[in-house]
């Protein structure tokens, strides 16, 4: 049964994993990762819950105002980095000049972005609303970047370029080579913007947000879609496929957008709107020993199991497991293609996901603030950073024991089987 199912599943997963556009999305979000980490650190430090016990409200307000620019210039305009990243990596995948693909995609996005006119003491200033460069502009930015990247690379591949003579500096030659493709691409998006704004009296930002982004994000932030995503991740890993990479390539735009919406409300002091975010997935599922939350499995083996083989695997996996790297357990226990483990492997993360969702929905634990927490941060610390509350750390500990309880009977069965095999091997050696 497992072999037949794997023959059906592996080709589909392989196509998803190797899809050009999904790979580009994954790489584009990783391009923004170091910047969002910096912004997240500043947000955490400027919003520590115990600051009011040592500092005056006036000083805290001044402190947050002075350092808030760091998060606004990183997390607040995350769509800018994603748009550039998509244009860059898409162009690179076609072996055309990637930097120009990135800047052309970004310029195309800005052409479609509505500028507001503000009057300050008689002076008229053009400004871009910050939310258009953050969560609200994410889906339009991604669509624009892919279209702009495709138009640019087709123009280059059809040789619609200016070729400079030999001896011209490479930077100059590349700029002239990108001139016609840039003119073609930006002209197309300029006419699109003129058509939408003049004929329909709206802008593409509002249209895409209302018609596509808001419904899709709302659907992706629900409990059932999240449980389905967790189920598929675990199932793919069971067959030896990196479920996290495959599913995250599809879901990351939704989860990151939800996280950015929470971040915007958090820095404004408003109520956080979303339960499921990128931090929800990374901190309260992956961030408990890796995919499948296997840190509890390691502890159970080391404390309660007697099989030498299992203890050896757990010892090897303990160090990496603290930092949420669990390949030693996945392939050493093994979990891959092991029918004795498939039930707790799939069931435990789904139950923990439901418990976490309930804890956030009822207000027992504050929702994630939208800050980016690296998935390698150990349990306890990551829960606090994600929620700006010790309740986040406590929830991780509760989830840890839930996983422990679900896995324990299955581990005892495997332990008994392994002990029997080890005794038989010892008897063979003695004879």
């Amino acid at each position: 049964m497992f072999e037949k199912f794997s023959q059906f599943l592996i080709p589909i997963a392989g196509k998803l994993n190797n899809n050009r556009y999904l790979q580009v999305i994954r790489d584009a979000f990783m391009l923004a990762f170091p910047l969002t980490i910096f912004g997240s650190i500043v947000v955490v430090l400027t919003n520590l819950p115990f600051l009011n016990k040592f500092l005056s409200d006036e000083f805290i307000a001044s402190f947050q105002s002075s350092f808030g620019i760091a998060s606004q210039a990183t997390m607040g305009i995350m769509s800018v980095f994603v748009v550039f990243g998509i244009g860059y990596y898409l162009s690179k995948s076609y072996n055309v000049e990637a930097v120009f693909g990135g800047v052309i995609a970004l310029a195309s996005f800005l052409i479609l972005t509505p500028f507001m006119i503000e009057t300050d003491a008689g002076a008229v200033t053009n400004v871009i609303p910050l939310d258009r460069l953050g969560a609200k502009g994410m889906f339009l930015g991604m669509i624009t970047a892919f279209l702009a990247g495709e138009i640019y690379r087709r123009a280059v591949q059809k040789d619609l370029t200016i070729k400079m003579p030999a001896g011209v500096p490479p930077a100059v030659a590349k700029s002239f080579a990108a001139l016609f493709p840039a003119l073609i691409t930006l002209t197309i998006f300029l006419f699109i913007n003129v058509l939408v704004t003049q004929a329909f009296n709206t802008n593409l930002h509002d249209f895409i947000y209302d018609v596509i982004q808001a419904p899709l994000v709302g659907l992706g932030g629900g409990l059932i879609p999240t449980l389905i995503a967790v189920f598929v991740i675990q199932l793919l890993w069971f067959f030896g496929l990196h479920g996290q990479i495959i599913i995250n390539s599809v879901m990351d735009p939704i989860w990151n957008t939800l996280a950015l919406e929470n971040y915007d409300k958090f820095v404004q002091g408003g109520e956080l709107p979303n339960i499921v975010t990128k931090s929800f997935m990374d901190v309260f599922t992956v961030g408990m020993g890796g995919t499948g939350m296997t840190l509890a499995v390691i502890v159970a083996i080391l404390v309660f199991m007697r099989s030498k083989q299992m203890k050896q695997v757990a010892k090897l996996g303990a160090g990496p497991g603290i930092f949420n790297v669990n390949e030693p357990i996945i392939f050493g226990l093994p979990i891959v293609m092991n029918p004795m483990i498939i039930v707790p492997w799939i069931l435990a993360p789904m139950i923990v996901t439901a418990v976490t969702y309930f804890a956030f929905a009822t207000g027992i634990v504050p929702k994630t603030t939208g800050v980016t927490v690296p998935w390698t941060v150990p349990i306890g610390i990551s829960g606090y950073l994600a929620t700006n509350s010790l309740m986040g750390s406590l929830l991780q500990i509760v989830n840890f024991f839930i996983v422990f309880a679900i896995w324990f009977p299955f581990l005892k069965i495997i332990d008994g089987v392994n002990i029997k095999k080890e005794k038989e091997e010892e008897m063979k050696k003695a004879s």
Side-chain angles (χ1 to χ4, degrees):
M1 182 184 69
F2 286 127
E3 289 180 1
K4 289 182 179 179
F5 193 69
S6 65
Q7 289 174 1
F8 166 76
L9 183 65
I10 289 175
I12 297 175
K15 289 181 180 179
L16 286 173
N17 192 46
N18 296 322
N19 181 272
R20 182 194 303 272
Y21 299 109
L22 293 181
Q23 288 181 339
V24 167
I25 290 174
R26 182 182 66 217
D27 294 341
F29 276 101
M30 290 308 299
L31 176 69
F33 181 72
L35 306 175
T36 56
I37 287 294
F38 172 74
S40 297
I41 292 172
V42 174
V43 170
V44 170
L45 293 177
T46 55
N47 290 276
L48 291 172
F50 52 78
L51 286 180
N52 58 358
K53 296 181 180 180
F54 305 99
L55 304 171
S56 66
D57 292 342
E58 182 180 352
F59 182 86
I60 292 174
S62 176
F63 176 61
Q64 292 176 337
S65 175
S66 300
F67 286 86
I69 186 64
S71 58
Q72 293 174 1
T74 50
M75 296 183 66
I77 57 171
M78 185 176 174
S79 290
V80 171
F81 309 125
V82 173
V83 168
F84 176 85
I86 290 174
Y88 178 90
Y89 287 112
L90 182 62
S91 301
K92 187 177 181 180
S93 72
Y94 286 116
N95 295 317
V96 298
E97 194 62 40
V99 170
F100 289 101
V103 296
I104 290 171
L106 180 56
S108 301
F109 173 62
L110 293 177
I111 286 175
L112 300 178
T113 302
F115 283 63
M116 294 178 62
I117 299 177
E118 288 190 350
T119 303
D120 184 14
V124 178
T125 307
N126 289 323
V127 297
I128 302 178
L130 200 62
D131 64 341
R132 308 285 182 166
L133 306 181
K136 197 169 184 178
M138 181 64 73
F139 274 63
L140 175 64
M142 292 171 60
I143 294 169
T144 302
F146 277 116
L147 291 176
E150 287 289 346
I151 296 170
Y152 162 70
R153 71 94 178 172
R154 288 177 184 272
V156 173
Q157 291 176 344
K158 290 184 178 295
D159 210 23
L160 301 177
T161 59
I162 299 175
K163 292 182 172 59
M164 301 298 290
V168 174
V172 176
K174 290 178 181 179
S175 295
F176 274 91
L179 179 59
F180 280 160
L183 291 175
I184 294 169
T185 305
L186 298 179
T187 299
I188 290 173
F189 281 97
L190 179 59
F191 275 104
I192 291 174
N193 187 62
V194 171
L195 176 64
V196 172
T197 55
Q198 299 303 316
F200 300 99
N201 195 30
T202 185
N203 61 79
L204 274 176
H205 268 266
D206 291 338
F207 178 79
I208 295 296
Y209 181 82
D210 294 336
V211 175
I212 298 177
Q213 179 168 328
L216 192 58
V217 167
L219 177 64
L223 176 59
I224 300 302
T226 305
L227 289 175
I228 293 173
V230 172
F231 172 80
V232 176
I233 288 171
Q234 298 303 111
L235 188 64
L236 290 172
W237 263 116
F238 180 79
F239 289 99
L241 301 167
H242 202 304
Q244 218 74 39
I245 290 179
I246 296 171
I247 299 304
N248 283 13
S249 298
V250 179
M251 296 301 296
D252 264 357
I254 295 175
W255 290 334
N256 276 298
T257 301
L258 291 165
L260 286 175
E261 289 178 357
N262 274 21
Y263 161 79
D264 290 339
K265 290 295 183 181
F266 179 71
V267 296
Q268 295 169 12
E271 183 179 353
L272 305 182
N274 304 310
I275 295 174
V276 178
T277 64
K278 181 63 173 171
S279 296
F280 177 100
M281 300 303 300
D282 284 352
V283 173
F284 296 97
T285 58
V286 179
M288 291 175 53
T291 300
M293 310 175 188
T294 52
L295 186 61
V297 177
I298 293 172
V299 173
I301 292 173
L302 290 176
V303 177
F304 294 101
M305 305 304 145
R306 295 186 295 125
S307 166
K308 295 178 181 178
Q309 175 191 340
M310 293 177 69
K311 282 190 175 292
Q312 185 63 32
V313 170
K315 289 177 182 178
L316 291 173
I322 293 173
F323 299 97
N324 307 317
V325 177
N326 65 342
E327 275 75 6
I329 293 295
I330 289 177
F331 297 104
L333 194 55
I335 289 171
V336 174
M337 294 298 287
N338 186 345
M340 299 180 70
I341 281 177
I342 188 171
V343 173
W345 174 249
I346 292 179
L347 184 63
M350 295 185 69
I351 290 178
V352 165
T353 299
V355 169
T356 303
Y357 190 96
F358 174 79
F360 288 144
T362 56
I364 296 173
V365 179
K367 298 172 186 175
T368 57
T369 61
V371 299
T372 301
V373 181
W375 59 270
T376 52
V377 176
I379 180 175
I381 300 174
S382 58
Y384 174 82
L385 294 176
T387 61
N388 202 42
S389 169
L390 289 174
M391 291 301 294
S393 302
L394 181 60
L395 177 59
Q396 284 186 309
I397 295 171
V398 171
N399 289 343
F400 176 92
F401 284 106
I402 290 174
V403 176
F404 185 98
I406 293 172
W407 270 85
F408 189 82
F410 295 91
L411 290 173
K412 287 296 290 184
I413 294 172
I414 298 170
D415 187 48
V417 172
N418 286 344
I419 290 173
K420 184 178 179 181
K421 288 182 180 179
E422 290 169 2
K423 286 182 178 179
E424 289 175 354
E425 290 177 1
E426 289 176 1
M427 289 176 65
K428 287 181 180 179
K429 290 180 181 179
S431 61

